[in-house]
Amino acid sequence: MSNFWDDRYRDGKYIYGTNPNAFFKEYIIKHPIGTILLPAEGEGRNAVYAAQCGWKVEAFDLSKEGWNKAIKLANQQNVNINYQIASFDSVEYRPSQFDVIALIYAHIPKENKTEFFRRLLPFLKTGGYVLFEGFSKEQREYQKQNESAGGPKDIDMLFSEDELSTIFQDMEIIKLEKCITTLSEGIGHSGESAIIRMIARKSHIK
């Protein structure tokens, strides 16, 4: 997978743009500033925006090319982000280090979803939040109509409400909804799309 993403990010253009995801932006500007982790952060658009808002930012991704572009973007905006080249199964942080973990289009193979996402939860403070946006399984229909709609072609890498409810069953799910929206996030996410959003709170120690 690192080779796949390196190839995708090697182009000088920012595939998903340099502006933050709209759902992420709306949440970040309303939430008290703190510490945030961005897994599968790619080219750094959300990490850099959070840093601009005053958050202490940690991020990771498999792709060295993604890291290069994220650091370049951070330097252009004169902010600091701590970004590791790492995978879900190898990354390590301190217990209860983060106020928020934001999973923005973090699509991974079906066999790893539950294990990898749950592996992050000890790094979240009690009372902290998981913020999630990704493509729902209905996205396959939108991909057929528009190649630029984005998302994996493997339906098992897309998400359902039941799946997220199961993965995050030990958390208090505050919001979980599917919707159809028009994305304008570079050439990688462009056009009408089927997405799913979740906000969940870690209400007790696990």
Side-chain angles (χ1 to χ4, degrees), residues 9-187:
Y9 292 145
R10 193 167 283 117
D11 190 292
K13 297 178 182 178
Y14 282 77
I15 304 300
Y16 301 107
T18 57
N19 294 321
N21 170 264
F23 179 59
F24 177 82
K25 178 180 179 179
E26 180 183 13
Y27 181 84
I28 287 301
I29 61 178
K30 293 179 180 178
H31 196 284
I33 293 170
T35 54
I36 187 167
L37 174 63
L38 290 129
E41 174 54 5
E43 299 165 301
R45 61 194 177 109
N46 295 313
V48 169
Y49 180 77
Q52 288 177 295
C53 292
W55 286 75
K56 184 175 181 180
V57 178
E58 299 270 352
F60 70 88
D61 197 282
L62 285 170
S63 173
K64 183 177 180 180
E65 295 295 335
W67 176 88
N68 284 334
K69 292 167 87 171
I71 298 304
K72 179 181 178 181
L73 184 60
N75 290 338
Q76 288 173 346
Q77 299 300 323
N78 197 31
V79 295
N80 293 315
I81 59 174
N82 189 3
Y83 188 129
Q84 299 183 47
I85 301 172
S87 61
F88 277 86
D89 59 344
S90 66
V91 74
E92 291 291 345
Y93 296 101
R94 298 190 309 274
S96 302
Q97 182 173 345
F98 299 104
D99 297 294
V100 175
I101 296 176
L103 294 158
I104 306 298
Y105 296 100
H107 289 271
I108 54 180
K110 177 182 179 180
E111 61 268 22
N112 300 130
K113 280 183 184 178
T114 299
E115 175 190 355
F116 284 4
F117 287 157
R118 287 183 181 175
R119 188 178 182 278
L120 300 175
L121 298 184
F123 307 139
L124 185 65
K125 296 176 182 178
T126 299
Y129 293 85
V130 169
L131 180 69
F132 180 97
E133 179 171 305
F135 291 110
S136 72
K137 294 189 182 297
E138 289 78 8
Q139 180 66 357
R140 287 294 292 121
E141 294 305 312
Y142 291 88
Q143 291 169 340
K144 294 173 184 177
Q145 300 168 30
N146 173 18
E147 291 184 359
S148 298
K153 301 298 191 294
D154 180 355
I155 196 168
D156 288 334
M157 293 180 69
L158 304 174
F159 293 93
S160 69
E161 291 169 297
D162 287 345
E163 184 176 35
L164 289 176
S165 294
T166 299
I167 293 171
F168 297 100
Q169 61 185 334
D170 293 328
M171 300 187 71
E172 175 191 357
I173 295 180
I174 296 168
K175 175 178 183 174
L176 178 57
E177 64 180 16
K178 293 190 295 185
C179 66
I180 306 303
T181 191
T182 300
L183 295 176
S184 181
E185 300 182 330
I187 61 173

